[in-house]
Amino acid sequence: MTEKSLAREIEKRRTFAIISHPDAGKTTLTEKFLLYGGAINLAGSVKGKATARHAVSDWMEIEKERGISVTSSVLQFNYDGFCINILDTPGHQDFSEDTYRTLMAADSAVMVIDAAKGVEPQTRKLFKVCAMRKIPIFTFMNKLDRDARDPFELLDDIENELGIPTCPMNWPIGSGKDFKGVYDREREMVVLFSDTLKGTKEGVKEEIPLSDKDALLEALGSEAFDALMDDVELLDGAGSSFDRDEVDAGMLSPVFFGSALTNFGVELFLQNFLKMTSSPMPRVADSGEIAPVSDTFSAFVFKIQANMNKAHRDRIAFMRICSGKFNAGMEVYHVQGDKVMRLSQPQQMMASERHIVDEAYAGDIIGVFDPGIFSIGDTVCSPGQRFAFEGIPTFAPEHFARVRQIDTMKRKQFVKGITQIAQEGAIQIFHELNTGLEEIIVGVVGVLQFEVLKYRLENEYNVEIRMDTLPYGHIRWIANRDIDVDKISGTSDMKKVTDLKDRPLLLFINSWSIGMTLERNEGLELEEFSRN
Ligand code: G4P
């Protein structure tokens, strides 16, 4: 393959995650994207909540039983000359550390917000991780076909709650039963709403230029027309203006209004989003930046999905390709394992099916069979190369439980099982400092992981456990290297623990105790993420 055609393949790639609070419309929006890409023919085929999600990944018994997807999946499709990879970040109870890790593989994020609700807790959490990586964040303000909050108020909400300035790219005209359409600011064009073609590709549209006042007045009615004229004036004077550099640096979020369900404003959003985002960017390794267009293949593991086949105890390692081209059967060097190997059964997700890939490029995600050698954050590259990508941070769990085996004779299996599951990154385990107690504290990002842990210990290690929920909700790593942890004086609700790597941490019940502990211990530095 020539360098030019390699560059062409990579330049058309866009790899992003969609983040939202459950029910804001992430699945509906994804489905409409797929519709434009021709990856599916009918709306409704991505989920029909229980059934299709099921089809995407019925790998684990627990998923089958509950009809939910435990880990995130990746969808690839083509649209308008672009090759799009959407990383799904699961919500509801299946929210886990994997959800955060998936964001490490994305180059940008689409944030879906329910316009009746504004910023919600899960949006806030996921946003924080995107902000940490400084990736571009685009907002789709959804459900304008329902009564929505005032658009100026919604923008304020994003700025105040998330601390990112916004730049409205289009502007809604009314909402709910008075929803008339959006005003496209760049083209100075009013796009009229029609939901008669609900769910189809054709969606829209009649367009009227802002300058054609008579036609607008007739189409909108005087009240909506006057309101729009007022808003346009306010917007031009007040809002942040579009600045590509700021967007690229994750310091300004372009906002689009629309309605995923009625397919209004979706294509407008998709087209602009694709134009405004860049193809895969260089990634930082210990040897410096690795450019995507390169003879050298490289990738890092961001997620490991364990035990898809109980009989084999196999795992799939999901990798984000950072540079070059991947060919099925090619030899790669696993840096952390110091071994040259072949990646077997490489696969990709296409709409709701897994299929074997023959080739993939920087920006793509592949899942490979893992005989138990990969860890999260590992690098693979072309043989002869030797560099490691920056590690994936450990994220603060939010739910804690004390866990012990019921049968004391099974202590050994219990410790082995829980340690292996923690090494895979499905849970985090902690030990109380200086108590000599053998009990293990488990921390998880989403409560479903407790069930996954119980299920896996019983089924894979034959150990039954007892779990007692602990009231802690906040954990912080101690960033200071030389500190006598014994001397840290905290609040009464604070507990000192160590993690799998023996790093000291503090657990708190109340969030205000964190500030108080910082005040009491001058120089103490606490972190919400732990960079390895
Ligand atoms: P999620 O993936 O973010 O959790 O949200 P999802 O797309 O499943 O949407 C949640 C609910 O909101 C769904 O309704 C969906 O139809 C609805 N919805 C999504 N976008 C819009 C929109 O633009 N306008 C309106 N009015 N509704 C929207 P549901 O009744 O909970 O589920 P379903 O039975 O329709 O699947």
Side-chain angles (χ1 to χ4, degrees):
M1 176 171 231
T2 64
E3 193 175 321
K4 222 168 159 188
S5 51
L6 177 70
R8 216 170 338 168
E9 280 297 335
I10 295 173
E11 268 154 27
K12 69 181 197 189
R13 271 154 167 89
R14 296 289 184 277
T15 303
F16 61 94
I18 307 190
I19 62 173
S20 74
H21 189 83
D23 282 340
K26 180 167 59 84
T27 314
T28 312
L29 186 68
T30 308
E31 191 176 271
K32 295 291 151 50
F33 284 170
L34 292 178
L35 203 63
Y36 286 114
I40 53 170
N41 298 317
L42 269 179
S45 35
V46 172
K47 78 167 171 186
K49 276 182 183 153
T51 47
R53 270 214 195 180
H54 211 110
V56 171
S57 54
D58 57 350
W59 295 321
M60 244 173 111
E61 288 295 323
I62 192 164
E63 290 183 278
K64 282 193 212 151
E65 280 164 19
R66 315 227 345 205
I68 51 163
S69 129
V70 174
T71 45
S72 13
S73 54
V74 187
L75 300 165
Q76 187 182 64
F77 66 97
N78 294 299
Y79 170 77
D80 203 16
F82 293 96
C83 175
I84 297 167
N85 292 301
I86 301 183
L87 293 153
D88 183 25
T89 55
H92 299 268
Q93 320 93 303
D94 41 344
F95 189 75
S96 73
E97 208 175 337
D98 266 349
T99 314
Y100 290 141
R101 290 193 196 111
T102 296
L103 296 175
M104 300 295 122
D107 295 322
S108 59
V110 169
M111 176 163 76
V112 185
I113 291 180
D114 181 334
K117 297 193 172 144
V119 174
E120 295 178 87
Q122 206 148 297
T123 331
R124 205 174 294 133
K125 288 188 207 170
L126 291 161
F127 174 85
K128 262 197 206 170
V129 178
C130 296
M132 174 191 84
R133 290 202 49 225
K134 301 189 170 64
I135 58 174
I137 297 167
F138 295 77
T139 306
F140 187 77
M141 203 58 89
N142 193 26
K143 305 199 187 181
L144 264 296
D145 60 304
R146 290 234 186 106
D147 286 341
R149 284 170 58 184
D150 176 72
F152 285 106
E153 212 180 284
L154 286 164
L155 298 189
D156 280 349
D157 195 37
I158 296 179
E159 300 194 8
N160 299 335
E161 289 276 335
L162 306 178
I164 187 169
T166 55
C167 164
M169 305 308 293
N170 62 24
W171 196 251
I173 305 166
S175 72
K177 60 178 176 9
D178 296 324
F179 184 48
K180 301 276 198 280
V182 293
Y183 167 58
D184 180 347
R185 294 181 70 200
E186 191 192 354
R187 293 187 303 134
E188 301 198 349
M189 191 72 84
V190 168
V191 185
L192 293 178
F193 172 66
S194 126
D195 67 353
T196 49
L197 294 167
K198 217 172 184 172
T200 65
K201 254 201 242 189
E202 288 71 27
V204 213
K205 73 194 165 200
E206 192 189 337
E207 297 190 336
I208 305 173
L210 189 71
S211 53
D212 192 346
K213 305 279 187 241
D214 294 339
L216 272 186
L217 195 57
E218 191 181 330
L220 301 179
S222 64
E223 204 178 318
F225 174 82
D226 290 346
L228 174 67
M229 291 304 144
D230 288 350
D231 282 359
V232 168
E233 211 166 291
L234 273 174
L235 276 171
D236 289 344
S240 302
S241 50
F242 180 76
D243 179 326
R244 175 78 195 240
D245 291 338
E246 300 261 297
V247 174
D248 285 350
M251 310 213 354
L252 176 71
S253 181
V255 180
F256 296 81
F257 292 82
S259 157
L261 185 69
T262 58
N263 202 9
F264 183 79
V266 175
E267 192 166 30
L268 202 66
F269 172 64
L270 184 61
Q271 284 166 343
N272 279 288
F273 167 75
L274 292 170
K275 249 193 338 212
M276 289 181 198
T277 44
S278 62
S279 52
M281 301 287 282
R283 290 260 171 168
V284 180
D286 52 6
S287 60
E289 280 195 347
I290 307 295
V293 180
S294 152
D295 295 343
T296 309
F297 161 80
S298 68
F300 69 89
V301 178
F302 66 94
K303 183 176 100 174
I304 291 173
Q305 177 148 341
N307 203 37
M308 292 179 201
N309 181 339
K310 198 171 140 196
H312 300 110
R313 198 179 279 189
D314 59 356
R315 318 197 295 190
I316 285 200
F318 287 87
M319 303 182 177
R320 146 88 197 213
I321 303 178
C322 298
S323 68
K325 182 184 177 193
F326 170 80
N327 289 308
M330 78 197 253
E331 282 197 328
V332 298
Y333 174 60
H334 174 213
V335 179
Q336 283 75 5
D338 190 21
K339 260 207 180 106
V340 173
M341 57 182 293
R342 273 177 221 282
L343 299 176
S344 51
Q345 299 172 20
Q347 35 195 271
Q348 260 177 343
M349 305 285 299
M350 180 79 87
S352 55
E353 286 159 22
R354 281 199 284 172
H355 69 120
I356 302 292
V357 283
D358 296 323
E359 49 185 51
Y361 299 87
D364 289 342
I365 310 295
I366 52 170
V368 303
F369 173 74
D370 171 21
I373 56 167
F374 291 118
S375 294
I376 285 170
D378 280 5
T379 300
V380 291
C381 52
S382 301
Q385 301 286 322
R386 182 181 273 269
F387 56 80
F389 287 107
E390 274 186 318
I392 290 188
T394 310
F395 298 95
E398 291 171 34
H399 307 276
F400 299 86
R402 199 185 292 284
V403 181
R404 58 188 169 81
Q405 79 280 7
I406 289 171
D407 180 351
T408 49
M409 302 297 283
K410 293 201 171 159
R411 177 76 189 166
K412 232 172 139 179
Q413 287 105 298
F414 167 66
V415 174
K416 180 177 164 213
I418 205 165
T419 310
Q420 279 184 353
I421 295 169
Q423 278 164 345
E424 282 168 18
I427 55 162
Q428 293 181 47
I429 56 177
F430 306 99
H431 288 95
E432 256 180 82
L433 208 67
N434 302 336
T435 56
L437 288 177
E438 292 214 345
E439 275 170 320
I440 293 177
I441 296 175
V442 172
V444 295
V445 165
V447 283
L448 181 72
Q449 294 309 108
F450 283 140
E451 272 181 64
V452 172
L453 171 68
K454 192 166 163 31
Y455 179 90
R456 291 192 55 192
L457 282 173
E458 277 171 21
N459 283 273
E460 293 170 42
Y461 299 90
N462 200 16
V463 180
E464 282 193 56
I465 54 163
R466 199 191 130 117
M467 256 189 289
D468 297 303
T469 320
L470 295 171
Y472 302 100
H474 309 274
I475 190 164
R476 293 291 181 273
W477 278 268
I478 299 171
N480 314 62
R481 295 235 171 252
D482 315 304
I483 196 162
D484 186 349
V485 179
D486 283 337
K487 294 218 173 99
I488 296 176
S489 100
T491 46
S492 57
D493 68 332
M494 186 188 90
K495 188 190 275 300
K496 296 171 186 173
V497 295
T498 53
D499 68 7
L500 207 56
K501 294 185 177 164
D502 261 342
R503 293 174 294 202
L505 300 102
L506 302 176
L507 281 173
F508 300 92
I509 296 178
N510 304 305
S511 59
W512 50 262
S513 303
I514 303 169
M516 204 111 100
T517 304
L518 283 169
E519 263 172 43
R520 284 188 196 168
N521 301 273
E522 215 188 306
L524 179 67
E525 287 172 41
L526 299 178
E527 281 177 347
E528 215 173 322
F529 310 102
S530 166
R531 298 204 174 260
N532 295 312

